[in-house]
Amino acid sequence: MKKLMFIAVFLFSSAGLMAQEADFGIKGGFNYGATGDYESLGDGADDFSQIIEGKEKSGYHIGVFSRFEIIGIFLQPELMFTRLNTEYETFNYKIDKIDAPILLGVNVFGPLNIKAGPSFQYIINNELEDTTLKIGDVEKDITVGYQVGAGINLGRLGFDVRYEGAFTENTAFGATETAQENFSIDSRPSQWILSLSYAF
């Protein structure tokens, strides 16, 4: 978590020093997607015997952003709290995480812009709902995915739609010792993100 905060502070400050124009603001909205596959072991099996694809559900996000324009190109780092939900047939998987996307963008036509870049993820809570199964911590504290999308800026208001994907998996294993309950879930999401922002 400290590493993620250091990265965010460094980018916000260094980009601000070089920028010709800088904006800071708040943003929030909805996300729709799912985490990766649920995989379970059967009795006496050496390999995973069952794979279940997660069903997309809605969640939300809220946080702060900055936007630094340099020679017609802008850098947009963000720090967001995200709630993500996924349905796996008989239970739900809930994740609370801190996201730190660092997007490079360009204005392409009037108020329309396109942007893309890496997105750092730090999971602060993951749990199963509507089941007696328990899940342990994820393998990696911080992982990197990507975001790509487009937005419209109308004065201080901004509207944004993006897709977030994963470069690698980040597995969480079942926290039980019973063979029938051995399982894993890939916590890294694939999701659509719809946001509304306001620049001060």
Side-chain angles (χ1 to χ4, degrees):
M1 183 63 176
K2 291 181 180 179
K3 294 178 183 178
L4 196 61
M5 295 297 293
F6 175 79
I7 291 170
V9 170
F10 174 77
L11 287 167
F12 275 61
S13 58
S14 60
L17 292 174
M18 297 184 295
Q20 297 173 339
E21 183 179 335
D23 291 318
F24 300 88
I26 58 174
K27 63 177 300 185
F30 299 97
N31 34 282
Y32 182 78
T35 47
D37 291 339
Y38 165 92
E39 298 180 287
S40 67
L41 276 171
D43 292 339
D46 293 327
D47 299 316
F48 286 113
S49 60
Q50 184 183 27
I51 298 177
I52 300 174
E53 184 176 340
K55 181 179 179 182
E56 295 87 351
K57 295 188 70 175
S58 60
Y60 66 88
H61 59 277
I62 186 169
V64 296
F65 75 95
S66 58
R67 180 182 167 108
F68 308 104
E69 187 170 335
I70 309 168
I71 320 175
I73 299 173
F74 64 86
L75 181 68
Q76 185 169 319
E78 301 174 355
L79 195 61
M80 311 296 298
F81 170 83
T82 300
R83 164 72 56 85
L84 179 67
N85 301 295
T86 305
E87 182 180 338
Y88 291 98
E89 292 188 353
T90 59
F91 63 86
N92 292 325
Y93 182 39
K94 182 180 73 174
I95 286 180
D96 294 330
K97 62 194 183 94
I98 301 296
D99 288 317
I102 305 168
L103 307 176
L104 188 66
V106 61
N107 296 317
V108 291
F109 181 75
L112 178 66
N113 61 74
I114 56 174
K115 55 182 79 83
S119 180
F120 297 86
Q121 171 181 281
Y122 177 80
I123 294 180
I124 55 179
N125 180 54
N126 70 319
E127 60 185 53
L128 305 181
E129 298 181 323
D130 304 320
T131 180
T132 58
L133 296 176
K134 303 295 181 182
I135 195 165
D137 294 333
V138 294
E139 285 186 307
K140 302 171 186 174
D141 289 337
I142 297 177
T143 57
V144 184
Y146 64 89
Q147 291 186 7
V148 58
I152 297 176
N153 292 324
L154 302 174
R156 294 183 180 274
L157 288 177
F159 302 90
D160 209 39
V161 60
R162 302 177 195 167
Y163 176 78
E164 179 182 350
F167 290 125
T168 59
E169 295 183 356
N170 191 20
T171 305
F173 291 93
T176 63
E177 297 180 355
T178 306
Q180 295 90 336
E181 296 180 346
N182 287 342
F183 67 91
S184 70
I185 297 178
D186 175 18
S187 66
R188 190 74 211 191
S190 299
Q191 62 176 339
W192 289 96
I193 304 168
L194 181 64
S195 304
L196 173 66
S197 62
Y198 181 81
F200 297 116

mmCIF file of all heavy atoms in Angstrom, residues 126-159:
data_model
loop_
_atom_site.group_PDB
_atom_site.id
_atom_site.type_symbol
_atom_site.label_atom_id
_atom_site.label_comp_id
_atom_site.label_asym_id
_atom_site.label_seq_id
_atom_site.Cartn_x
_atom_site.Cartn_y
_atom_site.Cartn_z
ATOM 1 N N ASN A 126 -11.121 -8.955 0.134
ATOM 2 C CA ASN A 126 -11.817 -9.861 -0.777
ATOM 3 C C ASN A 126 -12.521 -10.927 0.050
ATOM 4 O O ASN A 126 -11.940 -11.496 0.972
ATOM 5 C CB ASN A 126 -10.864 -10.476 -1.808
ATOM 6 C CG ASN A 126 -9.904 -11.478 -1.210
ATOM 7 O OD1 ASN A 126 -9.371 -11.277 -0.131
ATOM 8 N ND2 ASN A 126 -9.673 -12.566 -1.925
ATOM 9 N N GLU A 127 -13.788 -11.154 -0.256
ATOM 10 C CA GLU A 127 -14.573 -12.100 0.541
ATOM 11 C C GLU A 127 -15.681 -12.716 -0.300
ATOM 12 O O GLU A 127 -16.095 -12.168 -1.339
ATOM 13 C CB GLU A 127 -15.175 -11.402 1.760
ATOM 14 C CG GLU A 127 -16.102 -10.245 1.432
ATOM 15 C CD GLU A 127 -16.570 -9.509 2.677
ATOM 16 O OE1 GLU A 127 -15.710 -9.094 3.479
ATOM 17 O OE2 GLU A 127 -17.793 -9.356 2.824
ATOM 18 N N LEU A 128 -16.140 -13.878 0.147
ATOM 19 C CA LEU A 128 -17.244 -14.576 -0.495
ATOM 20 C C LEU A 128 -18.534 -14.305 0.262
ATOM 21 O O LEU A 128 -18.529 -14.227 1.493
ATOM 22 C CB LEU A 128 -16.971 -16.082 -0.532
ATOM 23 C CG LEU A 128 -15.658 -16.525 -1.174
ATOM 24 C CD1 LEU A 128 -15.543 -18.035 -1.145
ATOM 25 C CD2 LEU A 128 -15.548 -16.007 -2.601
ATOM 26 N N GLU A 129 -19.634 -14.188 -0.462
ATOM 27 C CA GLU A 129 -20.936 -13.936 0.134
ATOM 28 C C GLU A 129 -21.908 -15.043 -0.250
ATOM 29 O O GLU A 129 -21.783 -15.664 -1.309
ATOM 30 C CB GLU A 129 -21.483 -12.579 -0.323
ATOM 31 C CG GLU A 129 -20.626 -11.397 0.099
ATOM 32 C CD GLU A 129 -21.199 -10.075 -0.356
ATOM 33 O OE1 GLU A 129 -21.746 -10.020 -1.468
ATOM 34 O OE2 GLU A 129 -21.110 -9.085 0.404
ATOM 35 N N ASP A 130 -22.875 -15.314 0.614
ATOM 36 C CA ASP A 130 -23.921 -16.322 0.381
ATOM 37 C C ASP A 130 -23.345 -17.734 0.275
ATOM 38 O O ASP A 130 -23.822 -18.565 -0.512
ATOM 39 C CB ASP A 130 -24.726 -15.995 -0.888
ATOM 40 C CG ASP A 130 -25.327 -14.598 -0.839
ATOM 41 O OD1 ASP A 130 -25.798 -14.195 0.243
ATOM 42 O OD2 ASP A 130 -25.314 -13.914 -1.878
ATOM 43 N N THR A 131 -22.308 -18.034 1.065
ATOM 44 C CA THR A 131 -21.720 -19.371 1.075
ATOM 45 C C THR A 131 -20.956 -19.575 2.380
ATOM 46 O O THR A 131 -20.577 -18.606 3.049
ATOM 47 C CB THR A 131 -20.753 -19.548 -0.116
ATOM 48 O OG1 THR A 131 -20.190 -20.857 -0.078
ATOM 49 C CG2 THR A 131 -19.633 -18.537 -0.068
ATOM 50 N N THR A 132 -20.731 -20.845 2.716
ATOM 51 C CA THR A 132 -19.927 -21.161 3.896
ATOM 52 C C THR A 132 -18.439 -21.254 3.548
ATOM 53 O O THR A 132 -17.601 -21.382 4.435
ATOM 54 C CB THR A 132 -20.377 -22.495 4.514
ATOM 55 O OG1 THR A 132 -20.271 -23.533 3.524
ATOM 56 C CG2 THR A 132 -21.821 -22.393 5.004
ATOM 57 N N LEU A 133 -18.093 -21.214 2.259
ATOM 58 C CA LEU A 133 -16.692 -21.254 1.841
ATOM 59 C C LEU A 133 -15.973 -19.983 2.282
ATOM 60 O O LEU A 133 -16.564 -18.908 2.364
ATOM 61 C CB LEU A 133 -16.605 -21.385 0.316
ATOM 62 C CG LEU A 133 -17.172 -22.656 -0.312
ATOM 63 C CD1 LEU A 133 -17.102 -22.571 -1.827
ATOM 64 C CD2 LEU A 133 -16.440 -23.888 0.197
ATOM 65 N N LYS A 134 -14.691 -20.121 2.565
ATOM 66 C CA LYS A 134 -13.850 -18.996 2.949
ATOM 67 C C LYS A 134 -12.715 -18.857 1.930
ATOM 68 O O LYS A 134 -12.294 -19.837 1.320
ATOM 69 C CB LYS A 134 -13.260 -19.190 4.342
ATOM 70 C CG LYS A 134 -14.298 -19.404 5.436
ATOM 71 C CD LYS A 134 -15.167 -18.173 5.632
ATOM 72 C CE LYS A 134 -16.183 -18.406 6.750
ATOM 73 N NZ LYS A 134 -17.081 -17.223 6.917
ATOM 74 N N ILE A 135 -12.231 -17.639 1.777
ATOM 75 C CA ILE A 135 -11.146 -17.401 0.830
ATOM 76 C C ILE A 135 -10.011 -16.662 1.524
ATOM 77 O O ILE A 135 -10.240 -15.841 2.427
ATOM 78 C CB ILE A 135 -11.651 -16.612 -0.393
ATOM 79 C CG1 ILE A 135 -10.639 -16.674 -1.531
ATOM 80 C CG2 ILE A 135 -11.984 -15.160 -0.030
ATOM 81 C CD1 ILE A 135 -11.198 -16.252 -2.867
ATOM 82 N N GLY A 136 -8.772 -16.996 1.122
ATOM 83 C CA GLY A 136 -7.606 -16.362 1.713
ATOM 84 C C GLY A 136 -7.189 -15.106 0.961
ATOM 85 O O GLY A 136 -7.890 -14.630 0.059
ATOM 86 N N ASP A 137 -6.040 -14.563 1.336
ATOM 87 C CA ASP A 137 -5.529 -13.361 0.688
ATOM 88 C C ASP A 137 -5.054 -13.667 -0.727
ATOM 89 O O ASP A 137 -4.724 -14.811 -1.062
ATOM 90 C CB ASP A 137 -4.360 -12.779 1.489
ATOM 91 C CG ASP A 137 -4.793 -12.275 2.857
ATOM 92 O OD1 ASP A 137 -5.979 -11.902 2.995
ATOM 93 O OD2 ASP A 137 -3.962 -12.278 3.782
ATOM 94 N N VAL A 138 -4.987 -12.618 -1.544
ATOM 95 C CA VAL A 138 -4.477 -12.779 -2.902
ATOM 96 C C VAL A 138 -2.961 -12.983 -2.871
ATOM 97 O O VAL A 138 -2.283 -12.632 -1.899
ATOM 98 C CB VAL A 138 -4.825 -11.545 -3.763
ATOM 99 C CG1 VAL A 138 -6.333 -11.449 -3.962
ATOM 100 C CG2 VAL A 138 -4.293 -10.267 -3.146
ATOM 101 N N GLU A 139 -2.421 -13.563 -3.938
ATOM 102 C CA GLU A 139 -0.987 -13.882 -3.999
ATOM 103 C C GLU A 139 -0.107 -12.631 -3.992
ATOM 104 O O GLU A 139 0.908 -12.583 -3.311
ATOM 105 C CB GLU A 139 -0.691 -14.688 -5.264
ATOM 106 C CG GLU A 139 -1.131 -16.142 -5.198
ATOM 107 C CD GLU A 139 -0.694 -16.916 -6.418
ATOM 108 O OE1 GLU A 139 -0.982 -16.476 -7.542
ATOM 109 O OE2 GLU A 139 -0.047 -17.957 -6.245
ATOM 110 N N LYS A 140 -0.496 -11.597 -4.749
ATOM 111 C CA LYS A 140 0.348 -10.418 -4.913
ATOM 112 C C LYS A 140 -0.371 -9.189 -4.338
ATOM 113 O O LYS A 140 -1.548 -8.967 -4.615
ATOM 114 C CB LYS A 140 0.659 -10.180 -6.385
ATOM 115 C CG LYS A 140 1.339 -11.365 -7.062
ATOM 116 C CD LYS A 140 1.433 -11.162 -8.555
ATOM 117 C CE LYS A 140 1.975 -12.395 -9.251
ATOM 118 N NZ LYS A 140 1.954 -12.269 -10.725
ATOM 119 N N ASP A 141 0.367 -8.389 -3.577
ATOM 120 C CA ASP A 141 -0.214 -7.174 -3.016
ATOM 121 C C ASP A 141 -0.590 -6.178 -4.105
ATOM 122 O O ASP A 141 -1.659 -5.571 -4.076
ATOM 123 C CB ASP A 141 0.768 -6.508 -2.045
ATOM 124 C CG ASP A 141 0.923 -7.294 -0.758
ATOM 125 O OD1 ASP A 141 0.005 -8.067 -0.423
ATOM 126 O OD2 ASP A 141 1.963 -7.157 -0.100
ATOM 127 N N ILE A 142 0.304 -5.980 -5.072
ATOM 128 C CA ILE A 142 0.076 -5.007 -6.146
ATOM 129 C C ILE A 142 0.230 -5.703 -7.490
ATOM 130 O O ILE A 142 1.205 -6.424 -7.720
ATOM 131 C CB ILE A 142 1.070 -3.833 -6.048
ATOM 132 C CG1 ILE A 142 0.864 -3.075 -4.729
ATOM 133 C CG2 ILE A 142 0.885 -2.875 -7.227
ATOM 134 C CD1 ILE A 142 1.847 -1.959 -4.509
ATOM 135 N N THR A 143 -0.735 -5.504 -8.375
ATOM 136 C CA THR A 143 -0.658 -6.021 -9.737
ATOM 137 C C THR A 143 -0.911 -4.877 -10.718
ATOM 138 O O THR A 143 -1.417 -3.823 -10.353
ATOM 139 C CB THR A 143 -1.687 -7.139 -9.985
ATOM 140 O OG1 THR A 143 -3.012 -6.637 -9.707
ATOM 141 C CG2 THR A 143 -1.424 -8.344 -9.099
ATOM 142 N N VAL A 144 -0.562 -5.122 -11.976
ATOM 143 C CA VAL A 144 -0.710 -4.096 -13.007
ATOM 144 C C VAL A 144 -1.575 -4.629 -14.134
ATOM 145 O O VAL A 144 -1.316 -5.697 -14.680
ATOM 146 C CB VAL A 144 0.659 -3.651 -13.573
ATOM 147 C CG1 VAL A 144 0.466 -2.515 -14.572
ATOM 148 C CG2 VAL A 144 1.590 -3.226 -12.451
ATOM 149 N N GLY A 145 -2.618 -3.886 -14.471
ATOM 150 C CA GLY A 145 -3.441 -4.166 -15.636
ATOM 151 C C GLY A 145 -3.368 -2.977 -16.583
ATOM 152 O O GLY A 145 -2.388 -2.235 -16.594
ATOM 153 N N TYR A 146 -4.422 -2.786 -17.367
ATOM 154 C CA TYR A 146 -4.437 -1.660 -18.296
ATOM 155 C C TYR A 146 -5.859 -1.107 -18.417
ATOM 156 O O TYR A 146 -6.848 -1.804 -18.146
ATOM 157 C CB TYR A 146 -3.929 -2.083 -19.677
ATOM 158 C CG TYR A 146 -4.808 -3.113 -20.356
ATOM 159 C CD1 TYR A 146 -5.883 -2.742 -21.164
ATOM 160 C CD2 TYR A 146 -4.584 -4.473 -20.170
ATOM 161 C CE1 TYR A 146 -6.695 -3.687 -21.770
ATOM 162 C CE2 TYR A 146 -5.386 -5.429 -20.765
ATOM 163 C CZ TYR A 146 -6.438 -5.027 -21.571
ATOM 164 O OH TYR A 146 -7.248 -5.975 -22.150
ATOM 165 N N GLN A 147 -5.953 0.154 -18.782
ATOM 166 C CA GLN A 147 -7.223 0.799 -19.089
ATOM 167 C C GLN A 147 -7.109 1.531 -20.419
ATOM 168 O O GLN A 147 -6.056 2.113 -20.719
ATOM 169 C CB GLN A 147 -7.631 1.785 -17.994
ATOM 170 C CG GLN A 147 -8.017 1.130 -16.678
ATOM 171 C CD GLN A 147 -8.561 2.113 -15.659
ATOM 172 O OE1 GLN A 147 -8.786 3.290 -15.952
ATOM 173 N NE2 GLN A 147 -8.786 1.642 -14.442
ATOM 174 N N VAL A 148 -8.180 1.502 -21.192
ATOM 175 C CA VAL A 148 -8.231 2.217 -22.461
ATOM 176 C C VAL A 148 -9.652 2.739 -22.639
ATOM 177 O O VAL A 148 -10.611 2.055 -22.298
ATOM 178 C CB VAL A 148 -7.814 1.309 -23.634
ATOM 179 C CG1 VAL A 148 -8.699 0.069 -23.720
ATOM 180 C CG2 VAL A 148 -7.811 2.070 -24.951
ATOM 181 N N GLY A 149 -9.786 3.975 -23.131
ATOM 182 C CA GLY A 149 -11.132 4.511 -23.270
ATOM 183 C C GLY A 149 -11.169 5.871 -23.924
ATOM 184 O O GLY A 149 -10.182 6.346 -24.508
ATOM 185 N N ALA A 150 -12.328 6.514 -23.798
ATOM 186 C CA ALA A 150 -12.565 7.826 -24.396
ATOM 187 C C ALA A 150 -13.374 8.668 -23.431
ATOM 188 O O ALA A 150 -14.077 8.138 -22.552
ATOM 189 C CB ALA A 150 -13.291 7.694 -25.731
ATOM 190 N N GLY A 151 -13.276 9.977 -23.588
ATOM 191 C CA GLY A 151 -14.007 10.873 -22.709
ATOM 192 C C GLY A 151 -14.405 12.156 -23.403
ATOM 193 O O GLY A 151 -13.913 12.483 -24.491
ATOM 194 N N ILE A 152 -15.297 12.898 -22.761
ATOM 195 C CA ILE A 152 -15.725 14.210 -23.230
ATOM 196 C C ILE A 152 -15.626 15.182 -22.070
ATOM 197 O O ILE A 152 -16.131 14.902 -20.977
ATOM 198 C CB ILE A 152 -17.176 14.170 -23.756
ATOM 199 C CG1 ILE A 152 -17.284 13.256 -24.975
ATOM 200 C CG2 ILE A 152 -17.663 15.570 -24.102
ATOM 201 C CD1 ILE A 152 -18.697 13.096 -25.502
ATOM 202 N N ASN A 153 -14.992 16.319 -22.282
ATOM 203 C CA ASN A 153 -14.895 17.365 -21.273
ATOM 204 C C ASN A 153 -15.751 18.550 -21.688
ATOM 205 O O ASN A 153 -15.559 19.127 -22.767
ATOM 206 C CB ASN A 153 -13.438 17.815 -21.099
ATOM 207 C CG ASN A 153 -12.576 16.731 -20.490
ATOM 208 O OD1 ASN A 153 -13.023 15.975 -19.631
ATOM 209 N ND2 ASN A 153 -11.337 16.637 -20.932
ATOM 210 N N LEU A 154 -16.713 18.903 -20.831
ATOM 211 C CA LEU A 154 -17.607 20.036 -21.065
ATOM 212 C C LEU A 154 -17.422 21.019 -19.917
ATOM 213 O O LEU A 154 -18.085 20.922 -18.894
ATOM 214 C CB LEU A 154 -19.058 19.564 -21.144
ATOM 215 C CG LEU A 154 -19.365 18.517 -22.227
ATOM 216 C CD1 LEU A 154 -20.796 18.022 -22.100
ATOM 217 C CD2 LEU A 154 -19.103 19.098 -23.615
ATOM 218 N N GLY A 155 -16.478 21.929 -20.087
ATOM 219 C CA GLY A 155 -16.146 22.835 -18.999
ATOM 220 C C GLY A 155 -15.484 22.068 -17.872
ATOM 221 O O GLY A 155 -14.526 21.322 -18.077
ATOM 222 N N ARG A 156 -16.025 22.212 -16.671
ATOM 223 C CA ARG A 156 -15.464 21.516 -15.512
ATOM 224 C C ARG A 156 -15.954 20.064 -15.413
ATOM 225 O O ARG A 156 -15.385 19.269 -14.676
ATOM 226 C CB ARG A 156 -15.823 22.266 -14.226
ATOM 227 C CG ARG A 156 -15.165 23.640 -14.127
ATOM 228 C CD ARG A 156 -15.488 24.300 -12.811
ATOM 229 N NE ARG A 156 -14.863 25.612 -12.696
ATOM 230 C CZ ARG A 156 -13.635 25.832 -12.269
ATOM 231 N NH1 ARG A 156 -12.882 24.805 -11.902
ATOM 232 N NH2 ARG A 156 -13.135 27.051 -12.195
ATOM 233 N N LEU A 157 -16.998 19.730 -16.139
ATOM 234 C CA LEU A 157 -17.544 18.372 -16.100
ATOM 235 C C LEU A 157 -16.876 17.472 -17.136
ATOM 236 O O LEU A 157 -16.551 17.913 -18.238
ATOM 237 C CB LEU A 157 -19.049 18.383 -16.346
ATOM 238 C CG LEU A 157 -19.944 18.924 -15.234
ATOM 239 C CD1 LEU A 157 -21.398 18.916 -15.682
ATOM 240 C CD2 LEU A 157 -19.778 18.104 -13.955
ATOM 241 N N GLY A 158 -16.672 16.219 -16.769
ATOM 242 C CA GLY A 158 -16.123 15.247 -17.688
ATOM 243 C C GLY A 158 -16.895 13.941 -17.643
ATOM 244 O O GLY A 158 -17.369 13.521 -16.576
ATOM 245 N N PHE A 159 -17.065 13.316 -18.802
ATOM 246 C CA PHE A 159 -17.728 12.016 -18.912
ATOM 247 C C PHE A 159 -16.746 11.052 -19.556
ATOM 248 O O PHE A 159 -16.086 11.386 -20.539
ATOM 249 C CB PHE A 159 -19.000 12.121 -19.749
ATOM 250 C CG PHE A 159 -20.003 13.100 -19.229
ATOM 251 C CD1 PHE A 159 -19.967 14.432 -19.642
ATOM 252 C CD2 PHE A 159 -20.962 12.714 -18.311
ATOM 253 C CE1 PHE A 159 -20.883 15.354 -19.152
ATOM 254 C CE2 PHE A 159 -21.886 13.624 -17.818
ATOM 255 C CZ PHE A 159 -21.849 14.954 -18.242
#
